[in-house]
Amino acid sequence: MNKAHAAANKRKRILPGFGLTLGVTLVYVSTIVVIPLSMVFIWTASLGAEGIWKVFTDARVLKSLQLTVTTSFAAALINAGFGVLIAWVLARYTFPGKKILDALIDLPFALPTAVAGIALTTLYSPNGWIGQFLHIKVAYTPIGIILALIFIGIPFVIRTVQPVIEGLQQEVGEAAAILGATRRQTFFHMLLPALFPAVMTGFSLAFARALGEYGSVVFIAGNIPFKTEITPLMIMSKLEQYDYHGAAAIACLMLLLSFFILLLIHGIQWYVERKKQVYVR
């Protein structure tokens, strides 16, 4: 009986057995992710402790890293706020041109980042169509970098939060209003806890995407050393000088920092989820 039941379950499987699928998964992930990242650490280790320390403590590298992290965090934070608002509008309201707006959200995914950088620079440069009317300088400043990172990161938040909003029952909010809850209380005590994990996920994706962005930033940044020079540009400069070990060291430093920050964000998300489960119980 047990053998017949096992044979029936085996016939119902769409994919091959666990061993084969796990083997294919490990080979694919190792080839695409693990081995290339391992080479970064191997090339970095070949510099020796003194060489690695010299690269890591270079004032220009540290300044570029500080600029990259702060602008990426600011852009992801802005995207987290406005992304939720846009996702809410797309999920809960019907209006003329909604499908066009919904399609435009995915444009940064398909548009070459260099094209986006050129377009933003043309618009926001001091003599640009929009920049000439602004009282503050946008292009060739950290503000321009944040603007470019907002452009390439906003779809991650919207597409992560939008399905969650669509899955929320509107009756819950209506019931809260009937019981006397204000809109502010409904948002902070009912909607926000339900949306928070998705918002944090979208924030993490936007932040990670911004850290490694090059094409859309390099044009609008102006690449002024110690002012608007981002870390990916430092890596490209090392490669153009045939300093492959130095480029790998900077990439390794950025990789470790990105991993730590993302681990911290996911830790906060896990803690909030755990507290919410304890509260529900």
Side-chain angles (χ1 to χ4, degrees), residues 170-246:
Q170 298 188 25
E171 291 80 4
V172 176
E174 294 173 357
I178 293 174
L179 293 174
T182 63
R183 291 185 177 182
R184 185 173 182 179
Q185 291 174 329
T186 302
F187 176 78
F188 283 102
H189 294 285
M190 301 187 67
L191 297 179
L192 188 59
L195 294 177
F196 186 80
V199 174
M200 286 298 295
T201 301
F203 173 85
S204 302
L205 292 174
F207 180 69
R209 178 70 177 86
L211 284 174
E213 179 58 24
Y214 175 78
S216 62
V217 178
V218 69
F219 293 101
I220 198 170
N223 311 319
I224 305 171
F226 296 99
K227 290 185 178 181
T228 60
E229 193 173 43
I230 57 175
T231 305
L233 179 64
M234 292 294 300
I235 297 174
M236 291 298 299
S237 299
K238 293 285 186 182
L239 292 175
E240 291 174 355
Q241 298 168 8
Y242 302 101
D243 185 6
Y244 300 119
H245 298 282

Side-chain angles (χ1 to χ4, degrees), residues 48-231:
E50 185 178 350
I52 295 174
W53 181 254
K54 184 178 179 180
V55 174
F56 283 7
T57 56
D58 182 75
R60 191 171 172 184
V61 173
L62 291 176
K63 186 63 179 179
S64 69
L65 194 62
Q66 178 189 0
L67 177 67
T68 300
V69 172
T70 53
T71 53
S72 298
F73 184 84
L77 198 62
I78 294 172
N79 280 332
F82 285 94
V84 172
L85 178 63
I86 298 172
W88 184 272
V89 171
L90 291 175
R92 288 298 175 90
Y93 300 104
T94 301
F95 52 90
K98 176 181 176 180
K99 292 185 177 180
I100 297 176
L101 177 61
D102 195 39
L104 287 175
I105 298 299
D106 295 325
L107 186 61
F109 286 143
L111 188 69
T113 55
V115 175
I118 295 172
L120 291 173
T121 306
T122 303
L123 288 173
Y124 291 99
S125 63
N127 297 323
W129 294 356
I130 299 177
Q132 60 180 328
F133 300 109
L134 299 177
H135 297 289
I136 59 173
K137 188 177 180 181
V138 175
Y140 318 127
T141 66
I143 299 176
I145 298 175
I146 294 174
L147 183 65
L149 296 179
I150 290 173
F151 176 82
I152 58 100
I154 189 67
F156 291 97
V157 179
I158 296 175
R159 293 312 183 205
T160 304
V161 177
Q162 187 176 353
V164 179
I165 295 177
E166 292 174 349
L168 293 177
Q169 298 180 355
Q170 298 188 25
E171 291 80 4
V172 176
E174 294 173 357
I178 293 174
L179 293 174
T182 63
R183 291 185 177 182
R184 185 173 182 179
Q185 291 174 329
T186 302
F187 176 78
F188 283 102
H189 294 285
M190 301 187 67
L191 297 179
L192 188 59
L195 294 177
F196 186 80
V199 174
M200 286 298 295
T201 301
F203 173 85
S204 302
L205 292 174
F207 180 69
R209 178 70 177 86
L211 284 174
E213 179 58 24
Y214 175 78
S216 62
V217 178
V218 69
F219 293 101
I220 198 170
N223 311 319
I224 305 171
F226 296 99
K227 290 185 178 181
T228 60
E229 193 173 43
I230 57 175
T231 305

